[in-house]
Amino acid sequence: MRFSPAARVLFVVMLLAAPLAVPAAAQTAPDPAPTFSLLPDLNFGGEEEDYALPIQLLLLLTVLSLAPAIIILMTSFTRLIIVFGILRTALGMQQSPPTQVIIGLSIFLTIFIMFPVIERVNEDALKPYLAGEMTQNVAMERASEPVKRFMLAQTREKDLMLFMDMGNVEVFDSEKDVPLHVLIPAFVISELRIAFQIGFMLFLPFLIVDLIVASVLMSMGMMMLPPVMISLPVKLLLFVLTDGWYLIVESVVRGYMGG
C-alpha cells in the first residue's frame, strides 16, 4: 500500500505526539468482539493486544489536538516567528508583511530545517511500523530519538539543569533517557532566549535610524512632522540595500545547521 505525502506527514506528527499523550489502556476482555482498527495491527506474535476502538479514537483525537503544540514548541517555529515579528515591529510596519505571510514563511522554513529529523523518523520508525516490523511502542521510542537529539543540540545546559532540578530528575546516561516533559520546556526557553537576542540585534540599527531622524527634525525645527514619516522610507531603503531577508534567513537557518 502506498501512502501520499500528506498521510506520511500526518503519521510522523502522530508518532511524535504519541509519547506526550495519555497512554491508552489495552483491551483485556476474555472474548472481545471484532473491532475495526484505526491503526495498523498492534498484535505482533501475541506479545501485545490491539487497542479497542474507543481508546483508539481517544488517542487519535489527543494526538491531533497536540499537533499544533508539537509544531510550535518542538521545532524551530518558535524562534522564526518571534524573529520575524520583531523585525516587522523594528521596521515600523504593523501590517506588512501580513501575519499570514510571516506564519507561512516560518512554517516552510521550519519544514526545511526539520526535514532531516522528519526523514530520520520516517526511515527509523514510520516505514518499519507501517510494514509491521515493529510494535507501536518501539516506533514511538525510535521516532522520539532524532527529535530529542535536535532539541538537545539547541538547548542550553543551564536551562536543562533548571528543569531537572525542579523535577527531581537524576542525571541521564544518554540522550535517549532524557524525559520529554523536562526537555521540551528547557528547549522552549532556550529558543525564546536566542530569538530575543536576535531580535535585539535586528532592532538596534533601526532604532539608531529613528533617533537620527528625530534629532535632525528637531534641529530643523520641524517638530510637527512625525519622525516615522521620514524614518520609515529610510529604514526600508537600508533593509533593501543590505538584502535584509537573505541575511536574516541565512543566519537563523545556519544557526540550526551548525554552518
Side-chain angles (χ1 to χ4, degrees), residues 176-213:
K176 300 180 182 179
D177 302 327
V178 184
L180 285 175
H181 74 277
V182 171
L183 179 57
I184 292 177
F187 171 76
V188 172
I189 64 174
S190 296
E191 288 291 282
L192 291 175
R193 170 180 170 271
I194 297 176
F196 279 99
Q197 286 180 341
I198 298 175
F200 172 76
M201 299 303 296
L202 291 175
F203 218 108
L204 193 58
F206 298 117
L207 178 61
I208 294 175
V209 172
D210 288 331
L211 293 175
I212 293 175
V213 170

Side-chain angles (χ1 to χ4, degrees), residues 208-223:
I208 294 175
V209 172
D210 288 331
L211 293 175
I212 293 175
V213 170
S215 299
V216 171
L217 292 178
M218 291 185 63
S219 64
M220 296 175 62
M222 304 174 63
M223 292 179 292

Side-chain angles (χ1 to χ4, degrees), residues 32-36:
T35 58
F36 175 74

Side-chain angles (χ1 to χ4, degrees), residues 118-133:
I118 297 175
E119 191 176 32
R120 181 53 54 193
V121 171
N122 184 45
E123 294 294 332
D124 295 348
L126 179 58
K127 285 184 177 180
Y129 175 63
L130 295 178
E133 300 175 359

Side-chain angles (χ1 to χ4, degrees), residues 38-76:
L38 294 176
L39 301 175
D41 190 6
L42 304 179
N43 190 1
F44 294 88
E47 297 179 359
E48 297 186 12
E49 296 181 355
D50 199 1
Y51 292 113
L53 179 59
I55 301 301
Q56 292 185 38
L57 289 174
L58 177 62
L59 180 61
L60 181 62
L61 292 176
T62 303
V63 169
L64 292 178
S65 65
L66 289 173
I70 292 175
I71 297 176
I72 293 174
L73 298 181
M74 297 178 64
T75 64
S76 59

